[in-house]
Amino acid sequence: MLKVPVSSDDHIQGNTNAPITLVEYGDYECPYCGMAYPIVKQIQKHFGERLRFVFRNFPIPESHPHAGIAAMTAEFAATKDQFWQMHDLLYENQDNLELSALIDYATSLNLSGKELQTAIENETFVKKIEDDFMGGVRSGVNGTPSFFINGQRFNHSFEYENILAAITNASA
Amino acid sequence: MSKILAPNTAAPEFKLYVTADQSLSLSELKGKPVIIAFYPADWSPVCGDQMALLNAVLPEFRKFKAELLGISVDSVWSHDAFAKDRNLHFPLLADFEPKGKIAKQYGAYREHEGCCERALFVIDKNGIITWSYLSPVAENPGADGILEALEALPQ
């Protein structure tokens, strides 16, 4: 069960009042999350206005050394209303999440690389990311990606057909 | 599946090697809550994820002043390499000789495979088990159950 309800603090893509909510706990450097990324896009396309997608941070920096700064970069972009653009850029460039690359991605979205660097150095977004992480732990997230469909944990492997079937069942 | 020790049981004492020349006993930790995570083996993919997750939740465990111990039948040398590779910041104990002796006392040994179960125990500051959980061996049980058990301890 999802212990932290979706709120305005979340990054929400799609129709805010959609009957279906898909929440992902993800890590930008996790290869499985990278594999799930295009699948989520397909699911969003299939359900259209009927689904809203929420992404929450679940970085494991001791396994993925760039996961923390990548999450901070996405949170930084969110303050400039460009969270999803950055989220997509990060997943499309998972093999290059060095600080210099993150600054380039920021610049490509017309964001200030310098401001990003300051935010990373000042740990501006650390608490938000830790809160996401601990909320996930409390909800039983045990690794990434973990999905919740209308608050219920999705326990199968994340192939398109499986997620599609689970959402279809949940919304029937 | 094994029958693991249930809550309200005194946690069996042990003294196991953490490194080649350093051992740790449960009684040394008396006065603090202790979390024991028995796991089947170093290096197997699910364990890696489980240990990485527990490692990431360490700061939260520390808020309860709890100590986390991982136990498997691997040797200290395997533990050492594994902990370094995964950047684990908690001790991994070697239930290596006689193999699985402590896991057996906790009911957390798989005789057929010769390895530990994936079992979690929360032990209070007086050495009494207050919560235990046996997970399907291929499933990472996460950390929510541990946190709830720590919260339930009298402060």
Side-chain angles (χ1 to χ4, degrees):
Chain A
M1 275 290 286
L2 193 65
K3 294 280 171 70
V4 182
V6 173
S7 77
S8 56
D9 294 336
D10 276 304
H11 306 300
I12 304 173
Q13 193 171 44
N15 173 12
T16 333
N17 300 314
I20 307 160
T21 302
L22 176 67
V23 175
E24 175 183 355
Y25 280 90
D27 169 321
Y28 291 106
E29 202 173 3
C30 159
Y32 300 103
C33 297
M35 284 154 70
Y37 165 72
I39 296 171
V40 170
K41 293 261 182 235
Q42 262 180 291
I43 292 286
Q44 286 180 287
K45 201 172 158 199
H46 179 90
F47 288 98
E49 286 292 290
R50 287 182 290 150
L51 180 137
R52 59 177 183 166
F53 174 55
V54 174
F55 182 89
R56 289 177 174 171
N57 297 295
F58 203 84
I60 305 216
E62 297 290 14
S63 309
H64 303 130
H66 307 98
I69 52 171
M72 290 183 213
T73 303
E75 291 300 329
F76 168 75
T79 63
K80 317 281 176 188
D81 288 328
Q82 301 223 52
F83 175 81
W84 293 103
Q85 291 87 334
M86 185 60 85
H87 167 276
D88 290 5
L89 264 178
L90 295 172
Y91 276 123
E92 284 160 21
N93 296 280
Q94 256 200 323
D95 51 349
N96 191 3
L97 299 175
E98 298 291 335
L99 180 60
S100 57
L102 297 175
I103 290 170
D104 287 346
Y105 305 148
T107 313
S108 75
L109 295 176
N110 292 318
L111 304 175
S112 157
K114 209 171 160 201
E115 240 183 274
L116 168 63
Q117 212 167 343
T118 309
I120 290 175
E121 280 162 16
N122 293 344
E123 303 191 340
T124 309
F125 303 107
V126 167
K127 185 168 183 307
K128 152 85 176 142
I129 294 165
E130 284 177 355
D131 286 351
D132 272 6
F133 181 87
M134 279 316 302
V137 169
R138 291 294 183 156
S139 303
V141 172
N142 57 3
T144 54
S146 280
F147 292 100
F148 292 82
I149 296 164
N150 286 351
Q152 296 297 322
R153 176 91 188 271
F154 169 74
N155 283 321
H156 304 280
S157 67
F158 56 80
E159 278 91 10
Y160 174 73
E161 291 72 22
N162 292 349
I163 302 180
L164 186 74
I167 293 180
T168 308
N169 283 338
S171 54
Chain B
M1 272 188 149
S2 318
K3 196 159 166 54
I4 58 169
L5 291 185
N8 300 319
T9 314
E13 167 67 348
F14 54 76
K15 186 171 186 175
L16 291 171
Y17 280 101
V18 182
T19 65
D21 51 12
Q22 217 186 348
S23 59
L24 183 70
S25 64
L26 181 62
S27 52
E28 282 172 62
L29 301 173
K30 235 179 192 163
K32 291 180 189 175
V34 177
I35 305 153
I36 302 181
F38 285 99
Y39 63 101
D42 291 344
W43 308 108
S44 86
V46 178
C47 305
D49 284 340
Q50 187 193 2
M51 294 302 125
L53 177 76
L54 293 179
N55 194 55
V57 186
L58 265 183
E60 201 65 19
F61 296 150
R62 298 231 161 103
K63 288 185 188 164
F64 296 91
K65 304 201 167 32
E67 293 287 336
L68 169 65
L69 309 175
I71 303 183
S72 78
V73 297
D74 296 285
S75 73
V76 289
W77 304 111
S78 174
H79 277 341
D80 183 54
F82 180 60
K84 278 191 182 128
D85 185 73
R86 304 291 155 92
N87 291 313
L88 302 180
H89 304 300
F90 60 92
L92 300 178
L93 277 54
D95 196 6
F96 182 71
E97 179 58 39
K99 189 182 176 199
K101 181 184 165 197
I102 304 307
K104 283 173 194 163
Q105 291 176 17
Y106 280 78
Y109 192 68
R110 297 169 74 83
E111 293 284 350
H112 189 67
E113 290 90 345
C115 65
C116 294
E117 289 280 7
R118 197 176 298 284
L120 298 170
F121 294 86
V122 169
I123 298 166
D124 71 11
K125 60 181 186 195
N126 302 315
I128 307 296
I129 295 169
T130 63
W131 178 80
S132 61
Y133 178 75
L134 177 64
S135 171
V137 79
E139 207 170 277
N140 173 356
D144 48 325
I146 298 173
L147 289 170
E148 282 164 22
L150 290 173
E151 268 169 356
L153 292 176
Q155 292 305 306

